[in-house]
Amino acid sequence: MWENRSKTMFISGLALSGLILFQMSMYAMHMLLGWEIKHNLIQFCSRTAAALGLSSLVYGLDMLVLYTILSLILHTGRQVAAFRPCLPEP
């Protein structure tokens, strides 16, 4: 019983974090490459803050999104580099 609950909680957390990461990635592509996206939670928050006159919050949100993505890339690269010596040679 506890195993099923734990598995459900783990999968739910993983799905939610994956969804947020996907939203952040799409927003970053919108910022950097000018992609037009219709439905994005981060873009909605950014537009709402801009409409309320909180431009500093918009810049902070942009920095948070870019920092999160760059940090994810950096930490993933470090983990791959640390794991590489453990792989058997062909």
Side-chain angles (χ1 to χ4, degrees):
M1 182 163 139
W2 284 105
E3 184 177 324
N4 287 338
R5 286 184 187 176
S6 298
K7 193 179 292 186
T8 302
M9 289 295 290
F10 177 73
I11 291 172
S12 299
L14 195 62
L16 184 61
S17 63
L19 178 67
I20 292 172
L21 181 63
F22 177 73
Q23 291 283 314
M24 284 184 167
S25 300
M26 292 301 292
Y27 181 71
M29 291 299 152
H30 166 72
M31 282 191 320
L32 298 174
L33 302 177
W35 286 7
E36 283 298 319
I37 48 178
K38 291 187 178 189
H39 306 290
N40 189 300
L41 180 65
I42 311 296
Q43 187 177 16
F44 173 74
C45 293
S46 177
R47 285 184 180 173
T48 303
L52 293 174
L54 302 170
S55 61
S56 60
L57 187 62
V58 174
Y59 292 126
L61 182 63
D62 292 347
M63 288 177 24
L64 178 67
V65 168
L66 291 177
Y67 174 78
T68 302
I69 293 172
L70 291 174
S71 177
L72 177 72
I73 292 169
L74 178 71
H75 287 289
T76 303
R78 284 184 182 170
Q79 286 294 323
V80 168
F83 182 71
R84 189 163 224 127
C86 299
L87 294 175
E89 293 187 29

